[in-house]
Each structure stands twice: as structure tokens, then as C-alpha cells.
Amino acid sequence: MEDRAVSCLIALRRVLSAADHNARAVAKVTGLSVQQLIVLRIVEDTTEITPMMIARSAGVAPATATALIEKLAQMDYVSRRRSESDRRRYWVSLTEAGKAALHSAPDPLHQKFSEEFARIPDYEQAMILAALERVANMVSIPGETLPGTDESHVLEVSEALGAETIAPA
Amino acid sequence: MEDRAVSCLIALRRVLSAADHNARAVAKVTGLSVQQLIVLRIVEDTTEITPMMIARSAGVAPATATALIEKLAQMDYVSRRRSESDRRRYWVSLTEAGKAALHSAPDPLHQKFSEEFARIPDYEQAMILAALERVANMVSIPGETLPGTDESHVLEVSEALGAETIAPA
DNA sequence: ACTCTTCATTCAGATTTCGAAGAATCAGAT
DNA sequence: ATCTGATTCTTCGAAATCTGAATGAAGAGT
């Protein structure tokens, strides 16, 4: 019965394709590149994160992460704050402008899904949510893309006070 | 209860992220770019397709589709056959080498999913499949990425006989 | 102090992507 | 037949992107 697994993967690919199209469309509207948008979302999810973590989460080389962050900082969508405990690193976080840019951007897929989702019966909603989370747990890499559960930087919260916003080099 | 819709979208984003990572990994192994891989899969799904359709399915500009197809043709992963009914167009199809490249490439996500999927109880498998197809239908653009259901080129099957393989320009 | 590692950056080069212009072809109207 | 307009694909140059390797700066361990 691996027939059913294949059907699942086909359906998944349809979703993937739609998401890809959607990402490009959103990127075009916001004037950001797809990658910049991804980084922005990663930063939002974590509230504070280092370039290295971003590189890993976004699946790009460190050099690329630097460039992406620099661009976003120039647009004032993210801010950089030097780490006190490790002076090599710094924390990237979303500015108000960045938050606004993320949420003001119309997301067709998001809207379409929410709209249709609201229309289906309750038990089916629950079923879909359960299935999606099941699938997410199956395929997603444990420590990836949701470093909100990553405690390595939680210790740094104390830094938040009295730290100056620095523009590296 | 739009709370649940949001949870769905979060789970979806985890899946998306994992798929993205996976696509890059597969691309690196095969020596193909992510886009080339996408095009290759589109061609496989349709068995025969024109550059224009590829551009639309892959979500790129026509000029980009030309470049992608050219690269794949140079590697002998796809072949081009001039259309008889409309001499402007040509049909792109997978070569044996292309088919081999697609299937010999290890796909971690594919494997991981199939493996874990096989391990869960029957009714849950059915539930996940139903949910995925439901979601796919919600978000995917009707005529996109599965032009196998597109009948516009089915009429051309008769061409298959006695047509020479042409390398345009 | 010394070495080894990690983090971020710079820089040059390769690749990718696209818009615009152009050539070929088709379809329909005159 | 010819003309016109639309469609398909290509070429070309410019812009943006991504990366590997080298570099500097800072931490960690001996």
C-alpha cells in the first residue's frame, strides 16, 4: 500500500508549487526578494536571532546571510544589536517597519486558505490540522526553522536592556 | 476559531521549509539547480510540454524557460521536437538519461515520509491523504503544475511518429 | 601566550533571472 | 494574396543573487 504514500507526495507537491508561486507573487508586491521575505519571517518567528542561525534556517551560506541582513537593515526592516556575551555576534530583530511590511503585504495563499478553511465543518478542520501537524513532524528537521524552541539564546534576554543598536562595519 | 487556520498555516510553513531544504540538498547532489529540477519534474509529469507551459508552471519568465531548457538539453536530460501543427513551438520531453537522473537521485524527504508513513495505522494514512488532497485543492491554482489534465496538446499525439529531434537555433 | 575553533565580513567570480527587442509563425480580415 | 495583430520563442545586455575562499576579530582550552 505504498500507493497512498505516493498520492500524498503528489498532493504535497501541488501544495509546494502553489506556495512557490505565491511566494514569488508576494515578493513582487512587497519589492523584496523571496529570500529576503524568508529571512524576515524567520526573524519574526524567533524575535531575536544571529546571522549564523539565519543562514542555517534559510539554507544559505553565511556570506549570503550577511548580504540579506544588510539589505533588510538598509530598508530599516531589521535592527542589529551587538551581543554582550560574545562580541563577534549580534542579534537581529524585526523593526516596527519590518513588522508592518510583513503584515501589510497581502498573502493570497494565506487568505485563500483561511477563507476556504472557515467554510468547512468543524470536525474536518480538526482533521486537517492534525494531519498537517503530523506531516510537519514527519518531514521537518527538529532544530530548524523554529528556533523559538531553541534555548541557546534565551539566556541573552538580559542583554535587552541598555544595549545600543549598532550597524556593524 | 480562526485560531485553527493559523495553526494550519504554521504547520504548512514547517513543511514548506523542510521541502525547501530538501530541494536544495537534492539539487546539490544531482548537480542541477533547484529550478532545473522543477522543470525536469514538470516535464516528467506531462510527458510532453512546450516552453511556454513550462514557464507558466515553473513560474518563471519565458526567457528563463528557454535558458533552463537549453541547459537540460545540453545535458541530454530532455529532447526537443518541433511541432508540426505550429512551427513556432516545440515539445519538450524527458530522455532516458533525464528519467534516470530524476529517479536515481536520492530524495531524503521522499524517503523519510514514505518510511514514517508506512509505519502509521491504516485509518490515519487515509486521513492524512484526504487532508493533503483537501489542502492541495484549496490552495493550488486549477490549471497549474498538472497540465497533464490540459487537453490542448493531446491532439498532437499523432505527431509522435516520424518527427525529427531538432535542436532549435 | 599559544593554538584551535567559531562568527561575520569582504571580494571576485559564476550563475541566474528578467525585460525589451526581434524574428518567425499563425489566424483572421480585407 | 496581403495585411494586421497576436503568439511563441530567442537573443542580448543589465541587474541581482549566491557562493567559496580569504580575512579579521573574538572566544575557548591548554
Side-chain angles (χ1 to χ4, degrees), chain B residues 60-121:
Chain B
V60 297
T64 308
T66 297
L68 286 168
I69 294 165
E70 177 60 29
K71 270 275 173 68
L72 290 172
Q74 276 177 15
M75 300 188 229
D76 194 40
Y77 284 172
V78 300
S79 63
R80 293 172 284 197
R81 191 169 50 72
R82 185 62 64 187
S83 166
E84 298 287 334
S85 59
D86 186 340
R87 311 278 316 283
R88 291 169 301 183
R89 315 201 278 171
Y90 59 85
W91 300 105
V92 179
S93 55
L94 222 57
T95 62
E96 286 306 315
K99 225 172 287 185
L102 256 185
H103 293 122
S104 71
D107 191 328
L109 187 141
H110 195 298
Q111 291 171 340
K112 196 171 171 191
F113 181 87
S114 298
E115 197 176 304
E116 298 211 24
F117 190 76
R119 212 179 285 135
I120 66 179

Side-chain angles (χ1 to χ4, degrees), chain A residues 110 114 117-118 125, chain B residues 1-8:
Chain A
H110 196 296
S114 297
F117 190 76
Q125 285 187 1
Chain B
M1 292 305 150
E2 68 155 22
D3 198 23
R4 209 145 45 179
V6 173
S7 296
C8 279

Side-chain angles (χ1 to χ4, degrees), chain A residues 50-52 63 66 88-90 168-169:
Chain A
T50 67
M52 237 353 189
T66 297
R88 291 169 303 181
R89 315 201 278 172
Y90 59 84

